Amino acid sequence: MIEFDTGRFEQMLWQLIQSPPFQRLRRVRQLGFSEYVYPGATHTRFGHSLGVFFNARRLMRNVQRHLGPDSFDPYRSDAALAAALLHDVGHGPFSHSFEAIGKRLDLKYAKHEDVSDDIIRNTEVAEILNGYIPGMAVQVADIIGAKTPADVYSSVVSSQFDADRLDYMQRDRMMTGTQHSEIDLTWLIANLELDAVPFGVEEEMVGEVETFVLSSKAIYAAETYVVGLFQLYPTVYFHKATRSAEKVFFHLFERVFRLVQEGQADLVGLSKANPIIAFAENPDSLHNALRLDDSVIWGALPELAESKDSIISQLATMLQDRRLPKAIDLRTAVSRELGDGVPTEAIDKAVLLSRNAIDEWCGEQDAEVPPIWVDTTQRVPYKAFQEDIGPLNQILIRHNGGLVDLKEVSPIVKSISPFKLDRAYIPFGDEGAGKKIRDVIKQKAKEAKGE
């Protein structure tokens, strides 16, 4: 249970929760299309945001205890806790899939960071924050928008050991039903301390910064945390069926938006009053962006399936009925073609050459939608220390009388290689496309071997 006390600050947070922008998160699912693989994964960003605040409050109490009343900054603490609560307030329908469309079509309000920033600075959310303390809205927006944590308060909101990760890796694990990625959060927080760490820029010391450190007793719990979070990516977030649905969604709504912007909204099959049409016609309106959520998309699919545009109709039916394109794992296919004992560099080269050749071939086809969809991404298990980011982003461990990065005391964390994803999807069951992929892989594997 998450309780809110009767003090001014937490009553202000309660007002934020009751505001329409925050209530909208009830209609934005945390894991998008993951329910196509894990039926229980229907939890929302509303619940996640509350969980992040709950974790942030626990972490902040730890900060307060270690800094003491003379050094603890209640104002920075309040701003960070409000930021934890509001960090996802700008997410659109199907979150990152929607953002990919926005990136392709240059739609400002498809990017959740921009939407969050505008909500916090310019809507009733800003009025509530500034009603608590004038200028609070700017502080909260700046914490969420920062690329790196500025102090220990903001590291509670965003770092490699933050309230966000501590919530979603537990929540997503529980809701999907996967049995790995369990962490001992109670033990981690019990062993969480603060210490002053030297901070430099370009090898020149500029001072010290207070940051979280874990006692040596928590090394294995921290190791489990890093490995557990990493495992969620290949098994849940990057699952081939989930990514396939995301690709269908991308091509469906990219085409919907393009047709509307080209003045052909009548082909789409949605009424002019539909929030999707309104956003496509005026994507620079925050009001239009906030009318979009997952329920709007699901509700539109039956009408889109009857669209006059055959591509929209086909893609909407695929998404509605879960008739998803099958995946070809390029990395696995290349490895099989190269044979055993081939170095990773040769596999990477052959995969890259294959991806480029497939993209080039698709560009040569006279097709409204590419006949092959290439999907590539990767996940690094733990980010090494970067001087320009500083120690606030790292997981530091007390070891042999000093402070060291977790990667230096954990052979497991140090040895994990990034997870690399390279897949090709054939959306319309085209046998010619399948043969093209197989031929490309054979040819590029030979080139990678120097044959």
Side-chain angles (χ1 to χ4, degrees), residues 141-214:
D142 287 348
I143 289 173
I144 294 174
K147 299 298 182 184
T148 60
D151 52 29
V152 71
Y153 303 98
S154 55
S155 71
V156 167
V157 183
S158 180
S159 66
Q160 290 195 90
F161 186 79
D162 60 24
D164 185 21
R165 288 170 174 82
L166 291 173
D167 179 80
Y168 74 66
M169 69 180 297
Q170 295 183 96
R171 188 178 302 274
D172 295 349
R173 173 184 178 274
M174 180 180 72
M175 299 304 291
T176 58
T178 182
Q179 295 304 303
H180 52 244
S181 303
E182 185 174 8
I183 62 170
D184 192 344
L185 180 58
T186 301
W187 185 248
L188 284 168
I189 291 182
N191 285 276
L192 195 61
E193 305 167 2
L194 257 66
D195 207 337
V197 179
F199 179 43
V201 176
E202 296 181 352
E203 299 184 356
E204 181 178 339
M205 294 304 303
V206 297
E208 293 185 333
V209 61
E210 293 281 353
T211 189
F212 286 122
V213 301
L214 286 165

Side-chain angles (χ1 to χ4, degrees), residues 278-289:
F279 179 79
E281 290 179 337
N282 185 7
D284 292 333
S285 164
L286 179 62
H287 171 73
N288 287 346

Side-chain angles (χ1 to χ4, degrees), residues 199-409:
F199 179 43
V201 176
E202 296 181 352
E203 299 184 356
E204 181 178 339
M205 294 304 303
V206 297
E208 293 185 333
V209 61
E210 293 281 353
T211 189
F212 286 122
V213 301
L214 286 165
S215 77
S216 58
K217 295 184 292 184
I219 288 178
Y220 299 114
E223 186 178 78
T224 301
Y225 162 78
V226 171
V227 174
L229 179 59
F230 178 66
Q231 289 174 332
L232 284 171
Y233 281 81
T235 56
V236 177
Y237 308 137
F238 293 163
H239 191 283
K240 62 183 180 181
T242 301
R243 299 284 288 195
S244 179
E246 290 172 352
K247 285 289 185 181
V248 177
F249 174 87
F250 172 86
H251 287 286
L252 168 60
F253 283 95
E254 182 198 25
R255 185 161 181 82
V256 167
F257 290 163
R258 283 191 186 278
L259 288 180
V260 173
Q261 292 173 352
E262 291 170 0
Q264 301 182 72
D266 58 310
L267 296 179
V268 171
L270 299 176
S271 72
K272 189 173 180 61
N274 189 286
I276 295 169
I277 300 298
F279 179 79
E281 290 179 337
N282 185 7
D284 292 333
S285 164
L286 179 62
H287 171 73
N288 287 346
L290 293 180
R291 292 177 66 200
L292 297 178
D293 54 48
D294 291 13
S295 66
V296 169
I297 300 299
W298 288 121
L301 288 182
E303 291 182 272
L304 293 173
E306 301 296 326
S307 171
K308 296 176 184 177
D309 182 86
S310 61
I311 294 174
I312 288 178
S313 174
Q314 188 171 6
L315 292 173
T317 301
M318 289 166 64
L319 197 58
Q320 180 176 245
D321 297 342
R322 198 190 179 278
R323 299 211 303 265
L324 304 177
K326 300 299 182 184
I328 296 175
D329 191 314
L330 298 179
R331 191 162 290 273
T332 298
V334 162
S335 299
R336 189 182 300 119
E337 194 68 34
L338 289 172
D340 297 332
V342 177
T344 303
E345 292 77 11
I347 296 173
D348 289 342
K349 180 180 179 181
V351 169
L352 177 61
L353 291 172
S354 299
R355 289 200 327 252
N356 290 343
I358 292 169
D359 284 338
E360 183 178 351
W361 180 79
C362 286
E364 295 170 352
Q365 308 308 301
D366 184 20
E368 294 283 352
V369 176
I372 300 173
W373 299 342
V374 175
D375 185 19
T376 180
T377 189
Q378 73 170 8
R379 175 69 183 184
V380 177
Y382 181 76
K383 297 175 184 176
F385 174 76
Q386 294 175 259
E387 191 176 60
D388 59 334
I389 295 178
L392 286 161
N393 195 49
Q394 304 310 114
I395 299 177
L396 299 176
I397 306 288
R398 291 200 188 280
H399 184 71
N400 292 336
L403 296 176
V404 295
D405 192 286
L406 173 63
K407 197 170 186 177
E408 301 305 314
V409 292

